[in-house]
Amino acid sequence: NHAANANLVDVYHKIFPTVNHTFEWNILRDPLAQKYMVDLDGVLCEDWVHTEEMEDTEVYIRHLLQCKPLYKPNYPLYKIVTARLERFREPTEKWLRENGIVYGELVMSPYETRQERLINDGFIGYKANHYQNDSYAVCFIESEINQAIGIHARANKPVFCVDTMTAFGSLK
């Protein structure tokens, strides 16, 4: 009953017709996250800030195991789709487990090397293809604005960029 609670509110714009709504501050704390595809680096954990050449070093492996969590979901995620190379699955799964991030599937870049990933459009194209061909996912959560724009353009489905808190497309 809205009238009974009117004295609890100082200022409001309008009353939402339902209790289910997603805002930028609760994007991964919403039950709808169970239908999201989510990037890993820059969304769930700190992004790798060094050069790609350093991905083949112990420093990178240490980063994968010790990076700080960023947005921790309250619900199991549908899929995590990352451009991390498949050969880094073990430390990636360990980090996800240790940080209590539950997910249905972890999709990692199938390429053998970072050069092969670049040649094959292994960031935007790779993520967009997975998203476009998945009828269950309702939104892709990305950290990097140019990738978010590219994924939205190619998949023609909603994408949310956490770095800029920008939505491309709308959930239906």
Side-chain angles (χ1 to χ4, degrees):
N1 183 344
H2 302 301
N5 295 319
N7 65 330
L8 301 175
V9 178
D10 294 325
V11 177
Y12 73 96
H13 176 66
K14 75 182 207 180
I15 296 172
F16 285 97
T18 70
V19 294
N20 299 318
H21 11 271
T22 302
F23 300 103
E24 60 189 29
W25 56 268
N26 76 338
I27 190 89
L28 289 176
R29 295 184 190 120
D30 185 305
L32 197 55
Q34 296 172 98
K35 295 181 107 179
Y36 291 166
M37 280 191 178
V38 181
D39 184 29
L40 180 60
D41 296 292
V43 179
L44 300 175
C45 67
E46 288 179 307
D47 214 343
W48 175 246
V49 295
H50 302 290
T51 64
E52 286 186 356
E53 290 78 24
M54 289 185 69
E55 281 186 15
D56 296 320
T57 68
E58 285 300 315
V59 175
Y60 182 63
I61 300 295
R62 198 166 37 254
H63 165 78
L64 297 182
L65 293 167
Q66 299 173 354
C67 56
K68 293 179 188 167
L70 296 176
Y71 295 92
K72 189 170 179 185
N74 286 6
Y75 296 89
L77 301 171
Y78 170 52
K79 285 184 183 178
I80 297 171
V81 179
T82 179
R84 280 189 193 177
L85 299 176
E86 178 66 39
R87 64 187 163 136
F88 298 117
R89 179 172 289 275
E90 186 179 320
T92 299
E93 289 178 336
K94 182 176 183 192
W95 184 90
L96 289 163
R97 210 173 27 256
E98 289 176 354
N99 285 278
I101 296 174
V102 181
Y103 55 93
E105 185 178 349
L106 172 62
V107 180
M108 299 185 74
S109 182
Y111 308 110
E112 294 295 321
T113 65
R114 56 189 169 74
Q115 293 88 355
E116 187 182 347
R117 179 180 59 198
L118 290 173
I119 291 167
N120 288 289
D121 194 17
F123 290 92
I124 294 171
Y126 164 76
K127 294 174 186 178
N129 286 339
H130 274 282
Y131 185 33
Q132 182 178 33
N133 295 318
D134 191 300
S135 61
Y136 186 77
V138 298
C139 189
F140 195 103
I141 311 297
E142 174 60 55
S143 63
E144 204 279 320
I145 186 67
N146 291 322
Q147 287 188 45
I149 292 167
I151 293 167
H152 172 66
R154 291 185 191 190
N156 197 29
K157 292 169 73 174
V159 176
F160 185 81
C161 179
V162 296
D163 278 358
T164 60
M165 294 297 174
T166 305
F168 301 94
S170 63
L171 297 176
K172 296 181 174 143

